[in-house]
Amino acid sequence: MFALSVEAIQLFLLHRLDDASRVSTVKALTLGGTDGRYAFYATIHVHTGPPFTKTLERTTSLPRMQASVVILVGALVGLAAFAAWQHRRRRALAREHYIRAYVFPAGVLQDLLKTYPQLRIKDAQLAARALRQFFLVHARAGGRLVAMPSKVADALWHAFILDTRAYRAFCRAAFGSYFHHLPEAAMRSADTDQTANWRTWRLACLEENINPLKATRLPLLFALDAKLGVPGAVVHDPSTFRKPSSSGGGGCGGHGDSGGCGGGCGGD
């Protein structure tokens, strides 16, 4: 049995009641049935009429409906589900577009150059591209655990968070809620089976049209540190990434086995 709240169906059913003229509202409407037969059940409010007007509440089982009516109800439910899916899809695409087009505040990039003085402004802009890729990974992960594999992108994320107003506004537009940065130690304990690392790898690869199972190159997020030659850079090998056999790592966050910290919950 499943609940329906389609006003058109409610009105249709009310007209089939003997006392439809006295029905004021339908409180609940459900569809149920056995042996291939279906019936509608409605909790309705009925006015007894003057001079003793009052509202009674009772549950009424409507007559068994024809197959065409059941099909109509199913079609309306299907249309409602499709409309809801379209709304979620449009919202996701709009958020991804916002992330791709986002321009980080100039002060955030300058803070990165203070952390890594050997880098130039074009290097900071490359790091910004990598961080946007990480944010896209988080947006597509649906609140599940993600990893930060880059020290430089992580440092830029740190600098961005310190610009609190800009970062909060970005999170609200990109994810629907605040995207927390969590310590590396907490992320390590949350991703013992490397599921988050694999998830991040897979989504970053798909962002650049790379087959994550047969990759011959690294997506930017994983290649950034070695490309910039920063101290302590982790050199990733695309052939070493394997899908974990376990289905763990389903929480929110990220971890730093690859050189950076992780992220917490965010999005709706």
Side-chain angles (χ1 to χ4, degrees):
M1 182 174 291
F2 56 91
L4 299 174
S5 58
V6 183
E7 183 177 358
I9 298 298
Q10 293 177 347
L11 294 175
F12 176 82
L13 292 173
L14 291 178
H15 284 298
R16 297 185 63 91
L17 291 172
D18 294 336
D19 54 0
S21 61
R22 293 186 294 150
V23 172
S24 59
T25 58
V26 173
K27 184 177 181 182
L29 181 63
T30 58
L31 173 66
T34 58
D35 301 327
R37 297 176 299 172
Y38 298 91
F40 290 97
Y41 302 91
T43 300
I44 60 177
H45 294 277
V46 181
H47 290 283
T48 57
F52 304 106
T53 300
K54 63 179 180 178
T55 300
L56 302 177
E57 183 176 305
R58 62 187 177 88
T59 300
T60 301
S61 175
L62 278 71
R64 297 285 174 178
M65 310 301 290
Q66 297 179 353
S68 59
V69 176
V70 175
I71 294 174
L72 173 62
V73 173
L76 288 175
V77 173
L79 287 174
F82 179 71
W85 176 85
Q86 277 194 321
H87 172 73
R88 291 192 299 270
R89 180 59 179 163
R90 285 195 299 266
R91 183 180 64 181
L93 291 175
R95 288 176 173 177
E96 288 187 11
H97 176 74
Y98 177 82
I99 294 172
R100 295 181 196 280
Y102 187 79
V103 178
F104 292 95
V108 172
L109 299 183
Q110 291 299 323
D111 287 343
L112 178 66
L113 296 180
K114 293 177 183 177
T115 303
Y116 293 99
Q118 74 272 30
L119 300 182
R120 292 173 291 178
I121 187 62
K122 69 174 185 178
D123 299 324
Q125 292 169 347
L126 187 65
R129 281 180 51 198
L131 183 57
R132 282 193 289 268
Q133 188 173 88
F134 175 70
F135 287 149
L136 285 169
V137 166
H138 169 68
R140 293 175 176 178
R144 293 172 295 176
L145 202 67
V146 292
M148 168 55 84
S150 166
K151 288 180 177 292
V152 178
D154 185 59
L156 183 60
W157 188 13
H158 274 273
F160 190 22
I161 290 174
L162 293 178
D163 190 342
T164 55
R165 289 186 179 180
Y167 184 67
R168 285 186 178 277
F170 170 82
C171 288
R172 187 164 50 249
F175 312 125
S177 62
Y178 194 86
F179 181 25
H180 293 277
H181 186 292
L182 300 181
E184 180 179 351
M187 296 305 95
R188 287 181 184 274
S189 63
D191 187 35
T192 56
D193 62 358
Q194 296 293 291
T195 301
N197 203 44
W198 165 257
R199 181 177 297 119
T200 306
W201 166 258
R202 184 180 68 84
L203 293 173
C205 283
L206 294 178
E207 170 62 17
E208 297 189 22
N209 295 317
I210 301 172
N211 184 339
L213 295 173
K214 299 179 181 179
T216 57
R217 64 182 178 89
L218 296 167
L220 177 60
L221 182 60
F222 286 80
L224 180 67
D225 290 5
K227 185 184 292 289
L228 298 180
V230 297
V234 177
V235 180
H236 297 282
D237 181 351
S239 65
T240 62
F241 288 91
R242 295 287 183 270
K243 184 177 180 180
S245 57
S246 171
S247 60
C252 293
H255 93 95
D257 280 348
S258 299
C261 295
C265 299
D268 55 4

